[in-house]
Amino acid sequence: MNLKAGLLEAIKSAVESSGLVDEVPEIKVETPKDKKNGDFSTNVAMTLTKQAKKNPRDIASAIVEKLDRSAAKVKSVDIAGPGFINFYMDESSITQIIPRVVELGADYGRSTPDQKEKVLVEFVSANPTGDLHIGHARNASVGDTLANIMDFAGYEVVREYYINDAGNQIDNLALSIDARYLEALGQELIMPEDGYMGRDIQAIGEKLAEESPELMETSKEDRIEMFRKLGVDFEMEKLRKDLDDFNVHFDNWFSETSLYEKKEVEAALEVMSENGYTFEADGALWLRTTDFGDDKDRVLRKSDGTYTYLMPDVAYHYDKVERGYDKLINIFGADHHGYINRLKGSLGALGKDPDMLEIKIMQMVRLIENGEEVKMSKRTGKAVTLRELIDTIGVDACRYFLAMRSSDSHLDFDMDLAKSESNDNPVYYAQYAHARICSILRQAEEKGHKLDAGADVSIIDQEQALDLIKKMAAFPNVIRGAAEHRATHRMATYIQELASTFHKFYNAEKVLGGDPDKTRAYLLMIEAVRQTLQNSLNLVGVSAPEKM
């Protein structure tokens, strides 16, 4: 158990034994911004005022009186302001985290609960009709980082990509390929309305014309069916390659077409009808989503007998639920905000808890270069693609920059900063901290110093060193908080804080060349920090280089 968790248990026990309240509410312990206010602080006395019917300072005094300081490793306590309780921890106990981190290695910060909650995270799910763009890139970075964090926090996580390989957009893809195919064989180009004009569609048509000109003699219906599958396969292969190179790997690739093949669309519709949530009006079949907070009811099947976009999405979520997940997390683009209530409502209509579905909406990204917004690629004159970002900026900087802000806020992506090798670049700053530690450890080895797991770390008493240890010790709690709140940006914030705290220590203290006992203690400490930094960077999908 880490220091913060141990302190929480001790506070809870003190509240229980004080007799102030019958039921102990959730207790929050924070790290004060000003170190004068202790290593940890809680406002529990103020939150208990109404229940205990006492002055918060009196409540605080009663809690402090019952606190088992020895078990909580607390050196001293004070009550501040209206009733904050500030805790100053025993510094010798703080340093004991160091050998523990080194021992756990890549598993430091990982939780292993007896019962894992099963979570399906669906993200990116772009239509297979063109390249992934900057919006998809943010979705990919945040989605994969969230999955990494939740897995580390003890959830059983599955990553899934929903392939929209049915519907009008795929019909248009096939018709666009056919038009390019016929053009390459000398016919007039007649593109369908809303056809796809991309260079890759033209290339597919030209390749088909060269390799299979005889297809021109087959019926258009047969050609379109063939080109539909060929087009989806071509685009999906390209998307998979881009995502693999972006260090994003999915466990499942779920085909929309499979919903029709397995009759799951009809099955979902039958369940909702049996539950009394569908009705007919104006020749169409409707879903009563207003029963679940939607602003209006939604059409499932149009008067011409075809399904709306909503119906296969409902069937897809019906399939997810039937697979036995405890929680469904969807990461959608900014244009899907209106979809939240109707999808959650459909789960209710299926007889499931709507709250088992969480939908995170990704806000827009603005690319900034030379102080100006970049809307179009210089190479193609179209939207900047994920592939271009990987090639020009690199995976590490892209992954980090796209995950370091809350997903519900707009993001300005400064391309010049992302490419720079300076401390102003947050990913460079963090990676440099890791590389610097590796350099110190190499120098130590060259001078005959070896890492000693039995080093006496209790002798560490220098202020910046203790600050660094405390920051390192906070890692497991940061993981849990980021997972519970689905807040991937907290990891990037923590990485910056840990790197900054290390650089401050490095500038204040000499690791090598001083007292031999302190050197051994410091070497073990910075190895623990290096491991924590590597674990943190890995969660964001960013490498931890040993040299820079």
Side-chain angles (χ1 to χ4, degrees):
M1 184 181 293
N2 62 44
L3 278 176
K4 187 174 181 180
L7 180 59
L8 267 168
E9 287 296 319
I11 296 170
K12 183 179 178 181
S13 179
V15 173
E16 288 172 344
S17 55
S18 69
L20 290 165
V21 292
D22 295 327
E23 188 174 335
V24 181
E26 182 185 1
I27 296 171
K28 290 186 178 180
V29 171
E30 307 289 347
T31 303
K33 290 182 180 178
D34 188 341
K35 288 185 288 185
K36 292 177 183 176
N37 295 326
D39 296 306
F40 298 108
S41 180
T42 182
N43 66 346
V44 64
M46 288 173 279
T47 64
L48 293 177
T49 304
K50 192 172 181 180
Q51 286 176 268
K53 297 185 172 69
K54 288 181 179 288
N55 180 287
R57 285 189 68 92
D58 292 338
I59 296 171
S61 296
I63 294 171
V64 170
E65 185 181 338
K66 296 291 184 180
L67 184 75
D68 185 343
R69 300 189 188 195
S70 176
K73 304 187 187 313
V74 172
K75 181 169 63 176
S76 63
V77 187
D78 69 36
I79 299 169
F84 288 103
I85 307 175
N86 298 331
F87 304 90
Y88 301 82
M89 310 306 287
D90 178 3
E91 288 167 356
S92 64
S93 67
I94 290 173
T95 61
Q96 294 310 306
I97 187 70
I98 294 171
R100 178 70 173 153
V101 174
V102 175
E103 178 188 357
L104 288 171
D107 284 328
Y108 173 56
R110 182 181 290 279
S111 297
T112 52
D114 294 332
Q115 189 70 35
K116 289 190 173 185
E117 188 176 7
K118 293 180 66 178
V119 179
L120 182 70
V121 184
E122 184 219 328
F123 58 107
V124 184
S125 297
N127 290 340
T129 54
D131 293 315
L132 297 174
H133 55 61
I134 183 65
H136 298 131
R138 188 181 193 190
N139 192 303
S141 179
V142 170
D144 191 56
T145 299
L146 178 61
N148 289 340
I149 291 170
M150 293 188 73
D151 174 77
F152 215 67
Y155 297 81
E156 185 179 330
V157 180
V158 172
R159 299 161 171 82
E160 186 158 285
Y161 188 116
Y162 179 59
I163 306 171
N164 295 273
D165 55 1
N168 291 335
Q169 76 274 10
I170 301 303
D171 291 339
N172 273 334
L173 175 68
L175 289 166
S176 300
I177 293 172
D178 189 58
R180 289 299 190 182
Y181 171 75
L182 296 175
E183 179 193 29
L185 290 171
Q187 292 196 16
E188 181 186 356
L189 175 64
I190 304 175
M191 288 294 282
E193 189 178 350
D194 299 324
Y196 295 102
M197 305 297 292
R199 178 69 189 93
D200 50 353
I201 304 301
Q202 186 175 350
I204 296 172
E206 291 170 353
K207 184 179 180 184
L208 283 167
E210 182 181 340
E211 295 178 352
S212 306
E214 71 279 1
L215 291 176
M216 187 177 178
E217 304 304 321
T218 64
S219 70
K220 182 171 183 176
E221 184 178 279
D222 288 344
R223 267 202 327 271
I224 294 302
E225 186 59 37
M226 187 183 305
F227 291 170
R228 179 183 286 107
K229 183 178 186 310
L230 190 148
V232 169
D233 288 347
F234 176 88
E235 293 294 341
M236 285 309 303
E237 183 179 351
K238 189 172 61 173
L239 295 183
R240 286 176 194 248
K241 177 70 167 64
D242 287 350
L243 289 166
D244 279 344
D245 290 348
F246 200 48
N247 199 19
V248 175
H249 312 289
F250 287 91
D251 302 298
N252 294 334
W253 299 81
F254 191 100
S255 162
E256 179 184 349
T257 299
S258 71
L259 294 170
Y260 296 96
E261 293 172 346
K262 293 186 292 185
K263 309 293 184 185
E264 289 194 274
V265 175
E266 293 89 342
L269 195 56
E270 185 177 346
V271 171
M272 293 187 293
S273 297
E274 287 177 355
N275 290 339
Y277 289 107
T278 62
F279 65 96
E280 291 193 17
D282 303 323
L285 186 69
W286 297 67
L287 179 63
R288 226 183 288 277
T289 52
T290 50
D291 288 3
F292 302 96
D294 200 4
D295 59 337
K296 61 181 180 180
D297 295 324
R298 305 290 172 173
V299 176
L300 295 174
R301 190 174 59 218
K302 294 180 280 188
S303 56
D304 63 4
T306 61
Y307 292 117
T308 62
Y309 284 116
L310 178 60
M311 189 59 234
D313 286 343
V314 173
Y316 174 42
H317 285 77
Y318 176 63
D319 183 278
K320 288 182 180 182
V321 171
E322 291 298 297
R323 281 185 267 159
Y325 293 102
D326 301 306
K327 183 69 69 176
L328 309 176
I329 300 176
N330 293 359
I331 301 180
F332 284 165
D335 56 343
H336 283 69
H337 195 276
Y339 230 55
I340 296 176
N341 285 338
R342 69 189 79 167
L343 265 188
K344 289 174 77 74
S346 70
L347 279 182
L350 288 164
K352 306 299 180 181
D353 179 6
D355 289 335
M356 74 179 296
L357 173 63
E358 295 178 17
I359 297 179
K360 288 180 67 67
I361 297 294
M362 303 296 307
Q363 292 302 325
M364 303 295 289
V365 183
R366 284 199 321 156
L367 283 175
I368 306 296
E369 189 173 33
N370 299 322
E372 296 182 357
E373 182 177 358
V374 178
K375 291 187 178 180
M376 297 297 176
S377 162
K378 293 175 183 175
R379 182 174 63 83
T380 65
K382 297 180 180 178
V384 177
T385 65
L386 171 59
R387 172 55 56 188
E388 287 178 286
L389 289 171
I390 292 173
D391 292 344
T392 58
I393 296 172
V395 173
D396 284 348
C398 282
R399 288 280 309 240
Y400 198 92
F401 270 63
L402 291 168
M404 71 181 184
R405 297 282 181 267
S406 174
S407 57
D408 59 9
S409 62
H410 290 272
L411 172 66
D412 282 351
F413 188 123
D414 188 329
M415 296 174 68
D416 298 312
L417 180 61
K419 288 185 283 188
S420 72
E421 295 184 357
S422 73
N423 286 341
D424 292 330
N425 179 347
V427 68
Y428 180 87
Y429 183 72
Q431 290 179 317
Y432 185 64
H434 185 272
R436 176 173 268 176
I437 294 173
C438 291
S439 174
I440 297 170
L441 293 172
R442 284 195 300 272
Q443 291 174 42
E445 190 173 358
E446 290 167 3
K447 293 180 179 180
H449 298 291
K450 291 187 177 180
L451 281 179
D452 180 4
D456 182 9
V457 291
S458 67
I459 65 173
I460 298 176
D461 58 2
Q462 197 267 347
E463 182 183 6
Q464 281 82 1
L466 291 172
D467 287 345
L468 183 55
I469 296 167
K470 291 170 189 173
K471 183 58 66 177
M472 178 178 65
F475 180 56
N477 292 312
V478 172
I479 294 289
R480 280 191 287 273
E484 289 171 8
H485 296 281
R486 323 298 192 225
T488 53
H489 63 285
R490 291 190 183 185
M491 187 50 54
T493 300
Y494 174 77
I495 290 169
Q496 290 303 299
E497 291 173 351
L498 182 60
S500 173
T501 310
F502 167 74
H503 287 308
K504 287 175 184 174
F505 160 76
Y506 177 83
N507 292 330
E509 280 287 283
K510 194 173 184 180
V511 176
L512 303 175
D515 173 77
D517 289 337
K518 182 157 276 190
T519 294
R520 281 192 290 274
Y522 274 167
L523 285 173
L524 196 65
M525 179 189 75
I526 65 169
E527 166 57 19
V529 173
R530 185 206 63 75
Q531 185 67 66
T532 306
L533 197 49
Q534 182 183 50
N535 292 0
S536 305
L537 287 166
N538 285 347
L539 292 175
V540 190
V542 173
S543 66
E546 295 185 5
K547 293 181 179 180
M548 288 180 72

